[in-house]
Amino acid sequence: MSSLAVAEPPAARAPSRPPARSPVLSPASGPSRCGGERRRNASPAAAVQDGQLRSVDLNHVIKLLEDSGSKDLEKEQLKTLKKVVKHFENGLPLKDLAQIIEILKLCAEKMNEQEAFTEPLCELIELCGLPFQKKKLSDEVSYSKAVSKSIAQLGSLMRVPSSQVRIQICKCVVSFYNTELPRKLLSGYQPTSANYKIQMAELGGLAEALVLSLALVENQLTEKLWVLKALQHLSRSGVNCRLMMKAQAARILCLYLNGVDPSGQLVFHSSEILWNLLENTSKEEVVNQLSSLECVNALKEVFVDLLMHGFRHYDRQLRNDLLVVATLLAENPEASMIESGFAELLIALATFTEVKIPNPLVKAVKLTYSYEDFELKKLLFNIIRVLSKDPCAVQLLSESDVMPALLYYVKPNQKPGFHDWSAAQYEELQLHAIAILASVAPLLVDKYLSCQANTLLLVFLEWCIGQDRFLGQGNSFHGTGGRGNKLAQMRYSLRVLRSVVSLYDDAVNVNLCDQGAISQLLDILKYAANKSKEKEDAILLEIQADILFLLSALCENDLHRKELFSYEGVNILITFIQMDSKKLHSELGHNCLLLSALDCLWSCVIGCYTAENYFLEKQGIFLLLDLLALKQKNLCNIILGILVEFCDNPKTTLHISTWRGAKDQTAANLLVQLWRQEESDLGVKRDRYGRIVDMKRPIASSFQKQQEVIPMPADCPSFAIVEISENIRAKLYSLLCKLGFENLPGLSAKDCVTLAIIRHYIDFKVGEVWSEMCEELKEEFRPVVSDEEALKVISDAAEDTGRMVVALQTEVLESQHHREMQEEEKTYTKIQAIHKQREMVDKSWKNFLTRTSNYEALKKAKRLQEKSIEACRSNLKTQNGAVHSTDIKGLSTTIGSGCSVTVESTPPQLVGGPLAVTDLALRKPSVCEGALKKIKRVKTLNLVKDLVPME
């Protein structure tokens, strides 16, 4: 019989990495009586005769084995089987495989009577482990069905009550994964592909058969280990893992974990297969099979044994692997972690190094500060996080010392002492502990307060923004972004505060505010904002968003806290609201930060007149309207809510009315546009001009119209009421009510049409509610005549309101159309005048061309000009007055004279004439008038006058 080689198990994988799949811990193949060693040492001369061996008639062999009788027949059968083994010692052809398997079955039946058939049976099974032989490439596909059935028969042979046969079957399965080719090949044949047997094993369901055979070898350690080794190889495939799960492999293997095995290979193989099942099948299905009390107890016993007595590197790794499996079980509420006492033990182990625990089992545990023990510590912390999600485990956490153990790490990092964690390991444990504290603190508020956790966290945050030199390692998931700084510590400490403050527990919030948390949080916010200016980072944005949430929760509904926030807080909020709109589409978290700032504005500023007035002075309303003009869905709702609340301050409406956006857009125009956009998204019916279409339900959305009327209790709001909070129309209506519906600037006719609907929003909503009431009454009751008449009057009133609004809208549109027509007529008149002027210019040009080319026309024009000049002269002639000629002598041009003419001065003999007595008479300059001497020689005057038309 083959022997089991007991060897030192190799190092298992770290739990944070995928498990290794090398088949290292395996029973060694010992020498057997099956002739394999003899064949391997065959002489070259015998090998030359391999191709010359006479062919074997397998049908004859089968017939011979089916006969039973004398001892001589038995000898003949054994002799024939040896010939078969000798003939196929280099591999079985695919075409003969079905007959070989039939021979195996007959040998197995003979074994029940004669043990002599054991050796040839094992030799034939060993041949099945060699690569199959094919003649044509298509043989693999052609014989696939027969081959898969044949390999499945190997699993059936596990029922043979022979340890030697079972071990040989397992060796045969393991050899499927051996890619070495045989030294010699059959003449005219070639081996099948390396994965062919593995695929056929999957197709035949061999893995399921081997799992079921574990019940047959339950009390045989050697056979059990070989079966587990074969299953470990088979479990590399997802198909085999699913077949194994059908046979309840996870539950069976878990029960084998605490079996007696000095070598430790039983635990190793079982845990490896469990890991493969978890990776290749449904994790939930595996966990469900492991959740029974029996399985959890078995897992607990093996874990404790490895914890107490496992001193080797491999034992520690295997212990951590099993703890990962226990963590997965703890995530399942149906698992018996609490009933088995496993959860209580794990909680104690997680906290025993930070606090003293009077548990003898825990006292015997020694940590060596090795990497495996460091991984163990992190896994135990993670168990606390997982258990905190189970309501049944909260009592265990409350009764233990989890809170002081986690708060032990909420302190400035100190240099580790001798035989302690390294600086990087301590920082990783610290961050992990604070992260777990954020999950546990909301469940244990009383212990949180009794341990003065708020004080510890505020002091720790003060250290985070202090000038103390600290170079964070930035290792692990929790240390992301903390390389060379304290941002990781700040980030997780704020998460703890956020988790407890979000409970809105008065005791927690009062305790925080009494210690000056608001002022300190503002300082941290300024610190993070300044850091973000240097280099924007997702962690810095998250820190700022968390602080804004904390301030919102602390200041909400408390006037004194809002006053503490007011001036400094408003200045910080203004910087966030002024954020570049392009950043809102980044993936760092600017959108979340802006929403947090708006929420903080709503909670910390509104309701405190000091803060409100300061926000208005800083032009905060203008900034909010600028954000609103972006028309982003996730911002509009909260901004409109803030503006509505702000309108309780009488100064706000003036700011809203004064605001002007892009292209001189007014606030009223923006609000009306948002209303139209919202109705378009809701599917409200309007005609092409924006007028009401459905008189009965003017503002109903398409989804609202599809809903059937369901009778509801009086204290439950109907769909028409619920719909108010699901869109922004109610806020838009409230804001426009604050501004007033009359004389709103910047509205077009289309805006006025929409404004008419907004103005009667409440009337339409009341009509919807009454309509729902009527429908509900008709579903269950029949109203009396008077009630029915009253309901009809109410319904008609709602419809009349709709018709009235439509009439108003039509009037607005007609008035707009009339104004457009008037504007069109004015424009047309201007166009006519322009065309007429152009015609006159063209006619003048043509006349000019005629004068230059036709002498007769020129003379005619000259006569007309002279006639016009004479007509312009005064009939009363001045006595002795000078007569000036209008002709220019020597003129040889063909065009009229220009605008300038030269007029001779009055002759000297006429100086004493009629002009002498006028103010225009020339006077001799006096001595005092020396400044005028420069002009006494002026002889001519340039007179500018309009040309007389020559037509």
Side-chain angles (χ1 to χ4, degrees), residues 406-461:
L406 296 176
L407 289 172
Y408 170 82
Y409 292 94
V410 184
K411 60 184 179 183
N413 293 38
Q414 299 174 353
K415 185 177 180 181
F418 185 69
H419 291 310
D420 205 345
W421 305 117
S422 67
Q425 287 177 328
Y426 178 80
E427 182 185 13
E428 190 171 343
L429 288 178
Q430 180 189 53
L431 294 173
H432 199 172
I434 298 175
I436 302 301
L437 186 61
S439 301
V440 176
L443 305 174
L444 310 174
V445 177
D446 294 337
K447 283 215 167 190
Y448 176 87
L449 291 173
S450 64
C451 293
Q452 298 182 347
N454 281 335
T455 305
L456 292 173
L457 287 166
L458 291 176
V459 172
F460 190 60
L461 285 171

Side-chain angles (χ1 to χ4, degrees), residues 488-631:
Q489 285 81 0
M490 183 189 301
R491 177 191 189 188
Y492 284 99
S493 300
L494 289 170
R495 282 191 182 183
V496 178
L497 289 176
R498 186 185 66 184
S499 66
V500 293
V501 168
S502 61
L503 298 173
Y504 291 93
D505 186 285
D506 289 339
V508 174
N509 292 356
V510 169
N511 182 267
L512 268 174
C513 293
D514 288 347
Q515 299 182 63
I518 293 177
S519 176
Q520 185 173 345
L521 289 173
L522 287 173
D523 291 339
I524 299 172
L525 185 58
K526 285 191 291 185
Y527 172 83
N530 292 332
K531 284 282 186 183
S532 188
K533 290 177 183 178
E534 299 173 6
K535 182 182 178 181
E536 287 191 335
D537 181 68
I539 294 176
L540 281 169
L541 296 179
E542 180 188 336
I543 288 172
Q544 295 173 76
D546 285 346
I547 296 174
L548 290 171
F549 171 79
L550 289 171
L551 291 169
S552 301
L554 291 175
C555 296
E556 191 174 5
N557 303 323
D558 192 293
L559 182 59
H560 174 63
R561 296 174 190 172
K562 290 182 180 183
E563 290 174 348
L564 293 175
F565 175 88
S566 58
Y567 292 104
E568 191 175 2
V570 167
N571 286 328
I572 298 175
L573 288 179
I574 289 293
T575 61
F576 290 133
I577 298 174
Q578 287 176 325
M579 183 187 301
D580 185 0
S581 60
K582 295 178 181 177
K583 294 181 179 180
L584 298 178
H585 304 287
S586 70
E587 297 180 356
L588 292 178
H590 290 91
N591 207 329
C592 180
L593 177 60
L594 180 57
L595 288 171
S596 300
L598 293 173
D599 180 61
C600 185
L601 171 63
W602 201 332
S603 301
C604 302
V605 175
I606 294 177
C608 175
Y609 281 110
T610 304
E612 284 183 4
N613 291 334
Y614 188 65
F615 183 77
L616 292 173
E617 290 175 11
K618 302 292 284 186
Q619 298 184 351
I621 294 297
F622 293 167
L623 298 176
L624 290 176
L625 289 170
D626 289 339
L627 280 177
L628 188 63
L630 298 176
K631 299 180 182 177

